[in-house]
Amino acid sequence: MKITAVEPLVLRMDRVDVSRADGTQDAFLLRLHTDEGLVGIGEADTSPYLARTMIDMPSSHAVARGLAEVLVGEDATQIERLWDLLYRATYHYGRGGVALHVISAIDMALWDLAGKAAGEPVCELLGGRNVDRVPVYASEVMPETADEVQRLAEKAVAGGYRALKLGWGPLGSDLARDVELATAAREVLGPERELMLDGGMAYTVESALDLLERLAEVGLYWLEEPLAADDYDGYQRLADATEVRIAAGEADSGLAAYRRLVEEGHVDVLQPDLARCGGFTVGRGIRQLNAERGVEAVPHCFSTGVLVAASLHFVASLERPTWSEYSVADSPFVSGVLTEPFAMVDGALAVPTGLGLGIDLDEDLLQAMKVE
């Protein structure tokens, strides 16, 4: 099965608020076309314009290549070989960041193709489906006031979610205010639902521990990414000093970073973004960490329905599945990009049962929001 074309798709809303850490305002998707008529779909959660440039650009030399040039004519069934080929092809300008993000999108599309060719959903290729439905937590940027927090929490409760995560925004600038906002959410959620906070890298070890002590009665399921992504010493000191789960990993790419978070950072929850970390190929290694080290693996997923589908397949294949993330941001990309939006029942989403990722893109939305 030969790759005949790489089709990058940049999508963008008419108005983008750059003051918000909201990844649902634009998107980068791609489609891999093959000589057998099968098409693979992938996503990179990154700067869409940079991603498209990496696909379309002419090569500079042997280790600084445009990725369409690398892929066209290659055998789409050789996923690991192509991952290594793409990594070498971007070595001069990559080895992380946007290069790994784009490789993630390509890898995701290759696994989608593999499932379609094999007549299986991706989760079966990853090691087997262990669950048919995955609990998801509602995820949104932290608002500025307690009243706004309570309105978001009320919406999550009405929607049937069993957990809510709020983060970034004002968090980290005033601990008393952080406590006020988290307490407002807990008052609405009640004791039977989980509450997570995303620290947005806004804390020190000392301030994070101070926050957790003040929130002891609120009861957090986890505190996410309070420190810089590669502050392994800080994560170790924090995780070893608290009973609250510490989560991290959404900004990382490549398996080595996740091993370090576990072995050096002592984090409790790994949060790979399959549209950033290196795709399902890296995800398989994280799946092993979940099985062997007992850490939770809960994928970061704050973008389109393509990533939602990929995340559900990943969680379904885990030996110890718990949650997946689901953005409740007001964006057409979260569910509208798919011909069949996800339907939540009792706080969970069904793992797609179709071939590959089991999704199709809504061509009308693509045409309406695609940037040429």
Side-chain angles (χ1 to χ4, degrees):
M1 182 167 55
K2 301 293 185 183
I3 299 171
T4 57
V6 184
E7 179 189 6
L9 298 165
V10 173
L11 308 178
R12 188 174 176 87
M13 296 175 66
D14 290 337
R15 298 178 63 184
V16 171
D17 182 355
V18 298
S19 69
R20 285 171 56 85
D22 184 347
T24 68
Q25 301 180 96
D26 59 11
F28 177 79
L29 306 180
L30 66 76
R31 291 189 280 210
L32 294 182
H33 298 264
T34 70
D35 60 358
E36 295 185 9
L38 296 178
V39 178
I41 301 168
E43 174 172 6
D45 187 358
T46 192
S47 168
Y49 294 89
L50 291 176
R52 181 170 63 185
T53 296
M54 287 183 56
I55 297 292
D56 288 340
M57 70 184 192
S59 298
S60 297
H61 51 71
V63 290
R65 301 196 61 193
L67 298 188
E69 289 186 11
V70 173
L71 288 168
V72 170
E74 290 289 342
D75 183 350
T77 66
Q78 298 182 12
I79 298 177
E80 290 192 12
R81 174 183 168 274
L82 289 179
W83 202 101
D84 292 338
L85 181 65
L86 293 167
Y87 187 77
R88 291 197 302 273
T90 58
Y91 192 86
H92 190 66
Y93 62 89
R95 301 179 64 223
V98 67
L100 263 293
H101 301 167
V102 177
I103 290 172
S104 299
I106 294 166
D107 184 81
M108 191 183 298
L110 290 170
W111 280 86
D112 186 31
L113 283 171
K116 289 171 177 173
E120 296 275 10
V122 165
C123 58
E124 299 293 351
L125 303 183
L126 292 174
R129 180 192 302 263
N130 291 317
V131 292
D132 294 322
R133 303 186 63 81
V134 174
V136 293
Y137 62 84
S139 183
E140 178 59 290
V141 176
M142 177 68 85
E144 296 289 331
T145 69
D147 287 344
E148 292 175 290
V149 168
Q150 292 198 324
R151 283 194 290 271
L152 280 179
E154 287 166 357
K155 184 178 177 181
V157 170
Y161 292 93
R162 305 176 200 171
L164 172 66
K165 185 181 82 178
L166 299 168
W168 291 75
L171 289 180
S173 59
D174 182 335
L175 291 184
R177 187 183 185 194
D178 294 348
V179 172
E180 176 191 11
L181 296 174
T183 301
R186 174 55 72 198
E187 288 173 354
V188 174
L189 294 175
E192 68 274 17
R193 297 177 185 86
E194 303 293 356
L195 174 63
M196 300 91 156
L197 286 187
D198 182 347
M201 301 179 289
Y203 297 86
T204 63
V205 173
E206 291 72 23
S207 64
L209 287 172
D210 191 353
L211 175 68
L212 292 174
E213 183 176 349
R214 298 188 194 199
L215 290 176
E217 297 302 316
V218 170
L220 294 183
Y221 186 84
W222 73 48
L223 177 62
E224 174 178 334
E225 206 173 37
L227 312 174
D230 56 356
D231 185 2
Y232 304 112
D233 176 70
Y235 275 111
Q236 181 183 108
R237 290 189 288 126
L238 176 59
D240 289 352
T242 181
E243 295 298 316
V244 177
R245 295 173 183 84
I246 302 300
E250 71 174 71
D252 286 308
S253 300
L255 184 57
Y258 294 94
R259 286 203 187 102
R260 293 191 70 181
L261 281 172
V262 174
E263 295 170 3
E264 299 176 37
H266 296 182
V267 303
D268 306 285
V269 184
L270 293 176
Q271 297 178 297
D273 188 315
L274 294 166
R276 294 178 184 169
C277 72
F280 289 117
T281 295
V282 170
R284 286 191 305 172
I286 297 168
R287 180 175 172 270
Q288 285 300 112
L289 288 173
N290 169 257
E292 296 169 2
R293 303 299 295 269
V295 293
E296 285 188 52
V298 180
H300 175 266
C301 180
F302 207 85
S303 189
T304 82
V306 175
L307 183 55
V308 173
S311 299
L312 293 173
H313 282 287
F314 172 73
V315 175
S317 76
L318 295 175
E319 184 175 304
R320 298 179 176 87
T322 53
W323 300 92
S324 193
E325 182 174 19
Y326 190 75
S327 169
V328 293
D330 184 18
S331 167
F333 298 139
V334 177
S335 59
V337 75
L338 304 182
T339 56
E340 294 186 22
F342 290 99
M344 196 183 69
V345 178
D346 296 329
L349 297 180
V351 181
T353 56
L355 306 186
L357 291 175
I359 58 172
D360 292 299
L361 299 179
D362 185 317
E363 294 296 334
D364 291 337
L365 183 136
L366 294 186
Q367 292 305 314
M369 308 198 77
K370 185 169 66 171
V371 178
E372 300 294 344

